[in-house]
């Protein structure tokens, strides 16, 4: 399963209109200026996963419904084998797979993430973002430089970071190798 930005934008707009929710209300609920919200909804501007998650919450639908147009149906349990998660385009170079895309009424969004090591990025400031909720990052392999506000941590396999994701945060692979980790957005 994969998705196209224009298709997701069209589903977002169609769902909002079907539910008779104004763009102004959606902009308010997603804490996005109206002009930016309209650009995101029309597909003129690329959106973040956290923006789509906020939209799904505001609309009362599953994030996966906006991404794929399919409604998750599993309610008892779901198993997603390695490499079979729903690919999500979120950040250039990074590989994201949603690992519970078939499960209905999720309370968290679990993502497998592969952060590529970049020699060019090692001395650059880490790009920060923020979104409502909390986030857990569990390192599987490699090392991850995690920046939260002005704090900087180097995480290694078996390490876990749990934080309030409304604080500016960002991460890059560190130490000369790619980093695999599980990110859970709550």
């Amino acid at each position: 399963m994969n998705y196209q930005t224009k298709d997701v934008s069209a589903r977002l707009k169609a769902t909002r209109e079907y539910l008779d929710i104004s763009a102004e209300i959606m902009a308010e609920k997603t804490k996005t200026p109206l002009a930016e919200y309209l650009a995101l909804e029309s597909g003129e501007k690329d959106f973040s996963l956290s923006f789509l998650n906020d939209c799904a919450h505001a609309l009362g639908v599953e994030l996966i419904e906006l991404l794929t147009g399919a409604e998750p149906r599993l309610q008892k349990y779901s198993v997603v084998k390695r490499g079979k998660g729903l690919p999500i385009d979120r950040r250039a170079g990074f590989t994201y797979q949603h690992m519970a895309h078939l499960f209905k009424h999720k309370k968290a969004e679990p993502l497998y993430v592969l952060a590529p090591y970049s020699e060019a990025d090692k001395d650059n400031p880490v790009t920060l973002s923020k979104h409502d909720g909390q986030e857990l990052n569990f390192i599987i392999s490699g090392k991850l430089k995690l920046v939260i506000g002005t704090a900087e941590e180097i995480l290694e396999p078996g390490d876990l970071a749990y934080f309030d994701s409304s604080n500016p945060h960002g991460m890059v692979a560190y130490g000369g190798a790619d980093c695999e980790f599980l990110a859970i957005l709550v």
Side-chain angles (χ1 to χ4, degrees):
M1 255 189 278
N2 210 335
Y3 65 91
Q4 298 295 319
T5 301
K6 288 283 189 186
D7 294 338
V8 175
S9 296
R11 278 191 287 277
L12 173 58
K13 183 176 183 178
T15 304
R16 177 184 62 76
E17 289 176 344
Y18 176 78
L19 295 172
D20 198 26
I21 298 173
S22 71
E24 291 81 8
I25 289 174
M26 286 298 291
E28 181 182 314
K29 288 186 175 200
T30 60
K31 298 177 183 146
T32 308
L34 179 59
E36 183 179 348
Y37 175 84
L38 291 170
L40 290 161
E41 185 183 75
S42 67
E44 296 169 21
K45 187 174 177 185
D46 197 15
F47 39 74
S48 67
L49 184 62
S50 53
F51 168 77
L52 281 180
N53 198 39
D54 290 345
C55 288
H57 182 73
L59 295 168
V61 300
E62 297 275 342
L63 170 64
I64 300 307
E65 291 179 62
L66 292 178
L67 288 173
T68 67
E71 182 180 344
R73 302 207 184 281
L74 300 177
Q75 295 185 52
K76 192 169 187 175
Y77 73 93
S78 171
V79 173
V80 176
K81 295 289 190 175
R82 182 177 184 92
K84 300 296 183 184
L86 175 70
I88 295 178
D89 296 325
R90 184 172 179 200
R91 181 175 168 189
F94 278 54
T95 300
Y96 290 87
Q97 291 183 20
H98 197 293
M99 300 304 289
H101 61 283
L102 301 173
F103 196 81
K104 191 173 186 168
H105 304 303
K106 288 176 287 303
K107 299 200 184 322
E109 302 291 340
L111 305 169
Y112 163 82
V113 184
L114 177 61
Y117 177 75
S118 168
E119 189 70 27
D121 285 344
K122 79 175 191 173
D123 296 321
N124 293 333
V126 174
T127 302
L128 304 179
S129 65
K130 60 183 182 174
H131 51 88
D132 286 341
Q134 298 174 341
E135 186 168 331
L136 176 149
N137 293 331
F138 178 80
I139 309 306
I140 300 167
S141 68
K143 294 181 181 179
L144 188 74
K145 180 194 290 186
L146 174 65
V147 177
I148 303 170
T150 58
E152 184 177 297
E153 299 286 342
I154 303 299
L155 304 175
E156 299 183 9
D159 291 350
L160 181 143
Y162 191 92
F163 54 93
D164 177 344
S165 49
S166 67
N167 292 302
H169 62 281
M171 63 267 322
V172 294
Y174 182 81
D178 296 348
C179 180
E180 285 183 285
F181 64 100
L182 179 63
I184 299 177
L185 310 178
V186 182

